[in-house]
Amino acid sequence: MMDLSQAKICLVGLGYVGLPLAVEFGKKFNTTGLDINESRIKELNSGFDSTLEVEKELLASSDKLSFTSNINDAKACNVFIITVPTPIDEFKTPDLSPLYGASKAVGSVLSKGDIVIYESTVYPGATEEECIPLLEAQSGLKYNVDFFAGYSPERINPGDKEHRVTNILKVTSGSTPEAAQFVNELYLSVIEAGTHLASSIKVAEAAKVIENTQRDVNIALVNELSLIFEKLGIDTLEVLEAAGTKWNFLPFRPGLVGGHCIGVDPYYLTHKAQAVGYHPEVILSGRRINDQMGSHVSETVVKSMMKKRIHVVDSNVLIMGLTFKENCPDIRNTRVVDVIEELENYHVNVDVYDPWADAGEVKHEYDIDLVSTLENGKYDAIILTVAHDQIKAMGAEQIRKLGKETSVLFDVKYILDKESVDGRL
């Protein structure tokens, strides 16, 4: 196993996970940031990060970091860290194609003694069952003889300026005891919060996938509670705040569950569980509840409009917020689109406003044209779907002015007081 001082690192995938890590490693090691998106490389070389995860000054502070879209520029590297996305397909099954592509690319430049570390979220066993054979086939090298592997799951929270890559404790693992020690020491060199060395790659993979599965199930519980309390005529937030006075009550809130992790990772675990003959009950039922919340929001708003005798067909509805979470430009797997699609089934004219989302990316990904200016008195209904600071700052009075006199104002995120809205989850 190589000495840590000899490490020359290549970060494969420069998104929300890879770039912050590349910047930190680039302060201490010769580091190459690799991404197949050439426009991404251009913007990073110009000193700008469109994900807004890394400030310009921080990007400039990594004097040993360079960016490229050509894997051949990484031939001199001996540590490869793969941080590509692991989404699900239309059938809610794992889509490992980005991981396959990255593994084949790394395999083409792999040399004896190198180590490949995966950070992408996968099901337990995927690294050694799916990725390692690709590295062997492309390189002609033998696993744990000529090259080694590690797994250190990402824990990036997009948009969070308090919990950043260096102050979030990192789980590490390796394919041999020596590889595990090297991986652990490598991350300890940049992670101030420290590390937890897992006993195997499978344990580290499983630890990551259950982090978000646990959160998903907890949110599903409060979403189901909100559906029950709505029928009982009880305000959900008031119930949760009352219950929250007990020290060990968990402070989850109902809502739309999207993003690249919580709405995706449980399907990786359930896929593997079913492959080994176990049908998960709790996890999948939680997913079903969370996946139908967008439709529930739309149906509730439409019913409220009908109660006010607002003609639904050809009405104008404003959606305020599209990204998967507040104060973040990340639109991956946003479930706000479920609200929009359901409203369009009622032949409603939907405008979408989001001060954080990139209009071109939204158009490309969802074929939605964002509105950049808001017109007073236009809307029959307004739905607050993301708690961006800009939306919060508008306040109830300014938001109400956007609607007609009899409009419906529905608050998904508890942005406004109960008395200021016509309904909320």
Side-chain angles (χ1 to χ4, degrees), residues 151-178:
Y151 185 81
S152 181
E154 61 90 2
R155 279 178 165 171
I156 294 293
N157 187 25
D160 190 338
K161 300 306 179 185
E162 180 183 353
H163 302 98
R164 310 194 77 161
V165 64
T166 57
N167 61 17
I168 301 173
L169 194 141
K170 203 88 164 67
V171 174
T172 64
S173 66
S175 57
T176 67
E178 296 77 19

Side-chain angles (χ1 to χ4, degrees), residues 61-301:
S61 69
S62 297
D63 53 1
K64 294 183 177 182
L65 174 62
S66 62
F67 301 111
T68 183
S69 59
N70 188 343
I71 187 64
N72 290 320
D73 292 335
K75 280 185 176 179
C77 294
N78 49 24
V79 178
F80 297 85
I81 303 177
I82 296 178
T83 63
V84 297
T86 43
I88 53 175
D89 63 20
E90 59 183 311
F91 305 110
K92 302 189 188 306
T93 57
D95 176 9
L96 295 177
S97 54
L99 208 54
Y100 292 158
S103 297
K104 289 176 182 177
V106 168
S108 71
V109 295
L110 206 60
S111 300
K112 281 191 176 183
D114 290 357
I115 185 162
V116 183
I117 304 167
Y118 289 85
E119 289 214 1
S120 307
T121 302
V122 291
Y123 51 78
T127 298
E128 293 174 293
E129 295 165 11
E130 300 287 339
C131 301
I132 297 303
L134 294 175
L135 293 173
E136 288 184 316
Q138 288 293 319
S139 66
L141 302 176
K142 189 170 178 60
Y143 178 48
N144 281 340
V145 174
D146 300 317
F147 74 95
F148 305 88
Y151 185 81
S152 181
E154 61 90 2
R155 279 178 165 171
I156 294 293
N157 187 25
D160 190 338
K161 300 306 179 185
E162 180 183 353
H163 302 98
R164 310 194 77 161
V165 64
T166 57
N167 61 17
I168 301 173
L169 194 141
K170 203 88 164 67
V171 174
T172 64
S173 66
S175 57
T176 67
E178 296 77 19
Q181 197 58 46
F182 176 84
V183 172
N184 197 57
E185 289 178 8
L186 179 69
Y187 281 101
L188 272 176
S189 70
V190 296
I191 304 297
E192 297 168 5
T195 61
H196 174 91
L197 179 56
S199 62
S200 69
I201 286 176
K202 275 189 178 181
V203 167
E205 290 169 326
K208 169 57 183 176
V209 82
I210 71 164
E211 287 176 21
N212 289 316
T213 299
Q214 182 187 67
R215 187 166 175 81
D216 190 47
V217 170
N218 276 296
I219 297 172
L221 173 62
V222 294
N223 272 336
E224 187 165 57
L225 291 174
S226 74
L227 299 175
I228 295 169
F229 294 146
E230 180 187 2
K231 292 184 179 298
L232 294 174
I234 305 172
D235 185 82
T236 302
L237 182 60
E238 290 181 5
V239 175
L240 294 174
E241 287 176 339
T245 59
K246 190 180 180 189
W247 74 91
N248 59 354
F249 187 83
L250 301 177
F252 288 94
R253 296 290 183 264
L256 304 171
V257 185
H260 66 296
C261 285
I262 301 179
V264 172
D265 294 358
Y267 287 120
Y268 274 75
L269 182 57
T270 57
H271 169 81
K272 186 62 176 179
Q274 290 167 329
V276 295
Y278 180 79
H279 181 74
E281 300 287 350
V282 174
I283 299 170
L284 286 176
S285 65
R287 279 280 76 233
R288 284 193 294 272
I289 291 168
N290 287 340
D291 279 346
Q292 60 98 40
M293 289 306 292
S295 294
H296 171 71
V297 168
S298 299
E299 290 168 7
T300 303
V301 170

Side-chain angles (χ1 to χ4, degrees), residues 386-406:
V386 185
H388 292 313
D389 285 346
Q390 294 93 326
I391 295 174
K392 285 171 147 181
M394 292 175 69
E397 186 177 349
Q398 189 177 346
I399 292 173
R400 278 284 187 190
K401 284 181 180 177
L402 299 172
K404 298 174 183 176
E405 192 173 337
T406 58

